DNA sequence: AAATATTATGGGAACGCTCCCAATTTTATG
DNA sequence: CATAAAATTGGGAGCGTTCCCATAATATTT
């Protein structure tokens, strides 16, 4: 039951701990035969490296924090997968925290991770304006941050991995216009997110370009839940505002909206064409399937992980932004 | 930039490290005034406890593994929330791994967690027959396991937290029968899961009891994805098997089936009534909303966390099973 | 054959923390 | 006032690794 240590191995093999350690770490200053012997004994006796001791020695915890706003959508877990793909083989542990779109909770999570002595944090923020001080504090403490998807403004010197929201929003909008839609509603995300603003800008520009822009068609939403999407469309319909298309900030909002329409017998896409941003299975799990802009989420995680490793290895390295290409997936919610 | 240690604090305060440590750990053998002084200095100088050192000293890593089959559904993340609710305040880190319903991958994840020196593992298994040896090996090594939802057979001496699948399957089936359905299909999960069998048993018993049992209505599915549910119903319909109700093993299967029906113009619930097992937002995100048995997932996580703590504290403690109550949620997929 | 370079091993300090065991001071007790 | 008991502090070992610095053994060069 007692754990086998390097010392135990050394005693068993009549070698020094140094030599045993060398064998275990694949050091070159060791005879290949003794290395083989050590490895054999390690296996036989069931030696397991004590990572706490190693961490202490190396001065690194080998823990990386992963901070996300929600996990009801597979969005974060797809990114997480990418992150783990890169970090797990290197012996890094990933610690996940979820804040439910609550900045206060995000704050607590970050503090918790600090307590956990993480070597770095990969984060998708939930409110651009709220936790700036903590971000800065962590950076000052030497804990590198890498943001993905929802990123903070430029005043923070961090690396980011993201997509061009303006560009892809325009792309989706052009598609909806192509479908002959003129009264396209925008369910806009909270203005506290850069992404909301960028996507809204894409919406506006395309509407404007085609001379069909109408501010009454933009409805701003407080939360990002399913219910918020529902409520948004209910509000519009209660106001008897007429529309033939919807471009929603996220898939959750879109699906909420979609359900409200279906409940009220509105045909999709015949009467209303819908498009959104997603990147997850969610878009294909609803009926009709949701057209959406799909960022390469797993890759996003991988890139974020690589950036954080870069920063851990060398803290003076320059921060950089990685822009990823997304895909416009046209499904039955927008075209017959 | 250099981290402040206990030694630094001691030097700064002209105290011994012992005293400083005592203050930090809230030891009673210390004068309240010195404790106050130490805490003040710690705050001022930005002392952060090195958890690796503490772990080394205590002989525990304070890492708990969380092993789940999937994360596209919010199922696991709801359980995870419960787990974290209990463990984070106690300074435990939770390390998440996902195996995508692949036993081999689950195996690798468990080995990885072993490598990470976790103090215990909370797991929802993906195949009852496959990784028994690893489970046993981990237990033998003194790493306690606690299973939730999908649990192994009795030969493994572990604690479990689960619901009575047979009972709730019967419950849901009675409801469907109450709706006047007679030709109820069962989309049965893989037989490698006890849950599949138990729910199937509930289905059979109710069908039998009402004299409407027909083995042709049971369709066994290989995977647990969305597409598998679709395929199952497609197969039935291609065979021109008539049915007026569906009881599916999980919400994902149900939703796949539902979409196939909708694509083919079948009215739900008018022509086909549907019910399933869920416990997540997924059931309310689709249209029509899915009737389902809802286990208290967050509580499941909390209980699992408490069980693992119990085991960590005292490894000789008896294993026990905790049965939780679920709720039968009737929604529009099954009743008008 | 002597000198140097190379290879393989051992000894032991250090990482930061906790906690046992004194040592000292203060307080209570007879 | 002497003695015991309690309260407070300090010294320092040890948790399991790694790695620097010897030392010893072998190989290579003059």
């Amino acid at each position: 039951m007692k754990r086998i240590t390097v010392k135990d191995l050394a005693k068993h093999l009549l070698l020094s701990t140094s030599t045993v350690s060398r064998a275990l770490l694949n050091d070159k200053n060791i005879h290949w035969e003794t290395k083989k012997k050590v490895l054999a004994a390690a296996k036989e006796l069931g030696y397991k490296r004590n990572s706490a001791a190693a961490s202490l020695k190396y001065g690194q915890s080998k823990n990386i924090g992963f901070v996300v706003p929600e996990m009801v959508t597979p969005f974060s877990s797809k990114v997480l997968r990418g992150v783990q793909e890169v970090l797990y083989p290197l012996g890094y542990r990933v610690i996940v925290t979820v804040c439910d779109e609550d900045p206060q909770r995000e704050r607590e999570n970050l503090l918790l991770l600090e307590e956990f002595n993480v070597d770095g944090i990969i984060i998708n923020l939930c409110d651009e304006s709220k936790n700036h001080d903590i971000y800065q504090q962590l950076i000052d403490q030497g804990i590198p941050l890498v943001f993905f998807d929802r990123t903070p403004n430029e005043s923070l010197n961090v690396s980011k991995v993201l997509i061009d929201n303006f560009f892809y929003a325009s792309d989706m909008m052009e598609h909806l216009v192509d479908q002959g839609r003129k009264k396209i509603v925008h369910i806009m995300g909270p203005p506290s997110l850069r992404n909301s603003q960028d996507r809204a800008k894409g919406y506006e520009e395309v509407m404007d370009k085609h001379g069909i822009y109408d501010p009454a068609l933009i409805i701003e939403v407080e939360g990002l839940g399913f219910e918020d999407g529902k409520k948004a469309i209910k509000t519009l319909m209660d106001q008897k505002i007429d529309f033939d298309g919807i471009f929603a900030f996220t898939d959750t909002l879109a699906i909420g909206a979609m359900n409200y329409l279906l409940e009220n017998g509105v045909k999709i896409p015949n009467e209303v064409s819908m498009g959104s941003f997603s990147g997850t299975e969610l878009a294909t799990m609803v009926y009709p399937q949701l057209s959406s802009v799909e960022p390469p989420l797993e890759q996003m995680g991988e890139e974020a992980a690589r950036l954080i490793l870069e920063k851990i290895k060398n803290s003076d390295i320059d921060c950089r932004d990685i822009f990823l290409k997304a895909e416009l997936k046209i499904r039955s919610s927008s075209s017959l």
Side-chain angles (χ1 to χ4, degrees), chain A:
Chain A
M1 198 66 172
K2 198 228 155 218
R3 280 182 70 122
I4 302 291
T5 72
V6 170
K7 244 183 235 168
D8 297 329
L9 283 180
K11 206 182 298 172
H12 180 255
L13 292 162
L14 303 175
L15 285 170
S16 72
T17 59
S18 328
T19 313
V20 172
S21 175
R22 266 186 283 258
L24 262 16
L25 292 177
N26 235 323
D27 194 296
K28 57 189 170 307
N29 295 317
I30 192 176
H31 197 86
W32 62 272
E33 260 179 328
T34 52
K35 188 204 287 190
K36 222 171 78 178
K37 261 185 261 174
V38 172
L39 294 180
K43 187 157 196 184
E44 187 202 332
L45 301 185
Y47 169 76
K48 292 275 137 53
R49 181 184 201 246
N50 182 323
S51 55
S55 282
L56 176 58
K57 182 69 198 178
Y58 285 130
Q60 292 200 346
S61 71
K62 288 261 182 178
N63 289 145
I64 302 287
F66 186 68
V67 178
V68 293
E70 59 92 16
M71 277 199 114
V72 329
T73 276
F75 188 96
S76 300
S77 56
K78 288 192 95 170
V79 179
L80 177 61
R81 170 174 317 220
V83 169
Q84 294 178 332
E85 211 72 48
V86 173
L87 294 182
Y88 277 173
L90 298 176
Y92 281 91
R93 290 171 283 250
V94 178
I95 300 161
V96 179
T97 65
V98 185
C99 75
D100 295 319
E101 305 284 359
D102 174 2
Q104 183 54 35
R105 189 91 198 261
E106 180 185 289
R107 205 181 180 82
E108 289 163 16
N109 287 342
L110 288 168
L111 260 21
L112 189 72
L113 289 173
E114 187 190 352
E115 203 93 343
F116 284 173
N117 293 132
V118 294
D119 293 335
I121 295 177
I122 296 173
I123 170 171
N124 184 9
L125 57 69
C126 76
D127 190 313
E128 205 181 310
S129 58
K130 292 285 170 54
N131 291 327
H132 219 276
D133 52 336
I134 297 278
Y135 304 150
Q136 191 59 57
Q137 179 189 315
L138 289 168
I139 295 168
D140 292 344
Q141 249 166 77
I143 303 177
L145 298 191
V146 170
F147 287 80
F148 70 91
D149 189 43
R150 306 190 202 156
T151 58
N153 62 50
E154 288 74 21
S155 73
L156 206 67
N157 185 32
V158 290
S159 290
K160 306 166 197 159
V161 29
L162 64 173
I163 63 166
D164 185 335
N165 283 290
F166 170 76
F167 176 83
Y168 289 108
S170 311
D171 218 16
M172 174 59 84
M173 282 300 298
E174 287 290 3
H175 161 69
L176 291 177
V177 172
D178 275 355
Q179 303 301 303
R181 307 303 161 146
K182 300 218 178 306
K183 286 168 286 186
I184 304 172
V185 165
H186 181 40
I187 305 183
M188 181 181 170
S192 59
L193 294 176
R194 161 171 318 268
N195 289 12
S196 299
Q197 293 170 19
D198 289 350
R199 291 179 197 172
K201 224 170 282 163
Y203 165 85
E204 280 175 32
E205 182 146 311
V206 171
M207 291 296 273
D208 211 37
K209 173 178 154 199
H210 291 92
I212 51 180
Y213 178 72
D214 174 2
L217 292 175
I218 298 181
I219 180 154
E220 207 172 275
V221 107
E222 290 158 40
L224 287 168
F226 181 65
E227 294 303 326
D228 296 293
K230 228 170 191 165
K231 208 171 85 187
I233 290 304
K234 177 170 173 5
T235 309
L236 278 180
M237 288 178 71
D238 287 351
Q239 291 178 264
K240 308 260 184 244
I241 295 182
D242 194 38
F243 57 93
D244 58 9
I246 298 177
F247 169 56
F249 177 58
T250 67
D251 49 3
T252 338
L253 292 173
I255 292 171
M258 184 185 275
N259 285 10
Y260 188 77
L261 294 177
L262 292 172
E263 278 166 24
N264 288 279
V266 178
K267 301 260 180 302
I268 299 173
N270 310 52
E271 299 174 49
V272 174
S273 228
M274 299 196 61
S276 176
F277 271 64
S278 176
T280 73
E281 290 81 354
L282 219 50
T284 59
M285 283 185 88
V286 292
Y287 181 81
Q289 296 194 2
L290 187 63
S291 295
S292 64
V293 173
E294 314 242 317
L297 299 181
E298 214 168 314
Q299 193 194 340
M300 208 170 228
E302 290 169 18
E303 298 291 357
R306 276 193 272 271
L307 283 175
I308 205 89
L309 286 174
E310 200 174 286
K311 274 283 181 187
I312 289 172
K313 200 177 286 177
N314 177 6
S315 56
D316 317 312
I317 211 167
D318 279 344
C319 290
R320 55 206 184 94
D321 294 354
I322 294 183
F323 277 87
L324 298 180
K325 285 208 187 72
E327 252 185 301
L328 185 67
K329 291 269 191 185
I330 304 307
R331 304 203 179 85
S332 43
S333 75
S334 68
S335 103
L336 291 170

